[in-house]
Amino acid sequence: MSDRIEPGGTIGIFGGGQLGRMLAEAARDMGYRTHVYCPEDNCPASQAADRHTAAPYDDPAALGAFAGTIDGATCEFENVPAAALETVGAAVPIRPDAEALSIGQDRAREKEFFERLGAETAPWRPVHRIEDLKRAVGEIGLPSILKTSRLGYDGKGQARIDSSGGAAAAWEAIGGRRLPEGAMRPFAIVERFVEFTCEISVIAARGLDGDIRCFEPVRNVHRNHILYTTTAPAGVPEAVAHAATGIAARAADALDLVGLLAVEMFVTGDGRVLVNEMAPRPHNSGHWTIDACETSQYRQLVRAVCGLPLGDPARRHDAVMTNILGEDMHLVPGYEADPEARLYMYGKAEARPGRKMGHVTRLTAKT
Ligand code: AMP
């Protein structure tokens, strides 16, 4: 099993969304083939990949056959079941590895990881049962947010608690239940609501040789918990940018990660940087890098996965990326007619509210 994957080789991609689509496009441009594994037919990534296996993540025969066709694998979303990673990982390297992915799958483990790293997070407590929640809310204060430990995204599996009487309703809203006796991990976490001045993210890349390159911090605005715009540069004080970049780089190093690590953070009025969450994969807040950076996040991931030297992540332009959600589809003709708008559509047949259908990036001169 050679560490390096040469052009002409095949990269396996777990997950079929737009991140996988843009990754497959970058891989093709760099001379690699891709094979997407996801349960859905005709997914955005499969439209751009050389091959597609549409099978459940718990199908050992399909996973084994997939592993037989690829030289290495990566994930475009972090919730690939551990057993699937184990099956494929026995045959080819998975970059980032199962350990980084398993931390990224679990909010409590993420918080513990960043605390060990010496990075600040919002005050939080694990919640195994409703009694824990009531006690925790008393300890960390209000308002606070209850979040399922696993399988939450874009605000799903979250409930805000504004009064001490609200704990039971929040527990019910997220489908709160006590996990079977012996389950060590909590069902949820509760964290203090952060009165942030802005949200930022940093995407760090770490190569097979341990080299780390970070894209500069960007400013993210969410609408209904879903990323709406990303602005580069973030326009935060130099000390904040430095602290945020340092956190992402140290995290990638501590995980011994090969690939990308996106870290989302809150910035407070007094200049503190609090980690919200991490994702060991390409990130929505990195789409702008396709048009504005020397090396895009997708090309950087191909480089890391294939054991190539990392590229230069330097920003060449200022950029604003706007997500096009299902409810924004009426804006697309305007973007199509706008010579300044770099439009990307993801090939999704059905436009549902909140569903990411595409994005548009606008560039201006570098400040
Ligand atoms: P998450 O799924 O944790 O990324 O949350 C989605 C979005 O909800 C974040 O990007 C924030 O805008 C908001 N949010 C989540 N947790 C908090 C918090 N503790 N304080 C304030 N806003 C939060």
Side-chain angles (χ1 to χ4, degrees):
M1 186 161 76
S2 144
D3 273 346
R4 194 179 143 108
I5 303 173
E6 298 297 337
T10 302
I11 303 168
I13 302 173
F14 280 109
Q18 58 273 8
L19 300 165
R21 179 188 183 97
M22 288 179 264
L23 177 62
E25 284 163 352
R28 174 170 294 162
D29 287 347
M30 294 172 69
Y32 291 93
R33 298 179 156 271
T34 51
H35 186 165
V36 166
Y37 191 110
C38 74
E40 302 84 27
D41 269 328
N42 192 29
C43 55
S46 71
Q47 296 166 8
D50 294 285
R51 285 186 70 176
H52 177 211
T53 297
Y57 289 119
D58 59 357
D59 180 339
L63 289 163
F66 173 66
T69 68
I70 59 178
D71 299 295
T74 192
C75 297
E76 68 100 50
F77 84 127
E78 61 271 32
N79 288 320
V80 180
L85 298 171
E86 205 174 302
T87 304
V88 174
V92 295
I94 299 183
R95 296 172 179 154
D97 66 10
E99 172 68 6
L101 290 160
S102 74
I103 294 174
Q105 288 176 357
D106 186 315
R107 288 187 190 274
R109 288 189 65 194
E110 261 174 33
K111 300 266 189 222
E112 289 160 358
F113 169 71
F114 280 104
E115 282 178 350
R116 276 200 306 278
L117 206 64
E120 196 178 351
T121 67
W124 71 283
R125 296 285 185 278
V127 178
H128 294 264
R129 55 189 82 80
I130 180 73
E131 294 77 18
D132 295 342
L133 178 59
K134 290 181 175 158
R135 188 179 335 107
V137 164
E139 288 168 7
I140 65 174
L142 292 167
S144 54
I145 304 190
L146 180 65
K147 302 178 174 181
T148 52
S149 292
R150 304 176 70 84
L151 300 177
Y153 69 100
D154 286 349
K156 292 185 175 60
Q158 295 190 15
R160 186 176 153 132
I161 307 173
D162 286 298
S163 66
S164 52
W171 182 244
E172 196 170 318
I174 67 158
R177 63 196 156 80
R178 192 174 173 161
L179 295 178
E181 218 50 62
M184 299 303 288
R185 306 304 307 168
F187 177 78
I189 64 161
V190 61
E191 65 186 43
R192 181 68 198 250
F193 188 84
V194 179
E195 301 292 347
F196 54 79
T197 51
C198 69
E199 293 188 75
I200 61 172
S201 57
V202 174
I203 299 173
R206 187 169 178 279
L208 200 55
D209 57 1
D211 185 24
I212 296 181
R213 307 280 179 104
C214 295
F215 292 95
E216 43 181 284
V218 293
R219 180 182 292 235
N220 299 320
V221 174
H222 292 80
R223 225 175 40 178
N224 301 325
H225 298 278
I226 303 173
L227 183 65
Y228 178 46
T229 61
T230 292
T231 301
V236 291
E238 186 50 43
V240 168
H242 186 74
T245 306
I247 290 169
R250 279 189 287 129
D253 216 27
L255 291 167
D256 215 8
L257 175 125
V258 177
L260 299 179
L261 183 73
V263 184
E264 294 183 62
M265 295 166 262
F266 303 122
V267 181
T268 61
D270 54 0
R272 286 179 304 140
V273 175
L274 275 58
V275 174
N276 178 26
E277 60 177 359
M278 68 169 211
R281 54 164 171 78
H283 198 254
N284 195 165
S285 71
H287 291 346
W288 68 282
T289 62
I290 298 174
D291 296 295
C293 291
E294 207 56 59
T295 306
S296 74
Q297 65 164 345
Y298 302 102
R299 281 184 171 237
Q300 197 72 302
L301 179 55
V302 172
R303 285 174 168 274
V305 169
C306 296
L308 274 48
L310 292 182
D312 178 4
R315 179 173 60 82
R316 293 291 175 227
H317 308 271
D318 286 11
V320 179
M321 186 285 308
T322 305
N323 266 335
I324 302 169
L325 303 181
E327 61 271 34
D328 301 323
M329 287 299 284
H330 64 282
L331 300 173
V332 171
Y335 294 140
E336 287 168 347
D338 179 352
E340 301 288 307
R342 293 159 186 259
L343 178 64
Y344 297 81
M345 297 304 294
Y346 304 150
K348 297 182 184 178
E350 198 195 332
R352 291 190 296 272
R355 190 174 197 206
K356 291 170 181 149
M357 303 301 292
H359 75 267
V360 64
T361 301
R362 288 169 199 278
L363 303 182
T364 47
K366 185 170 189 248
T367 52

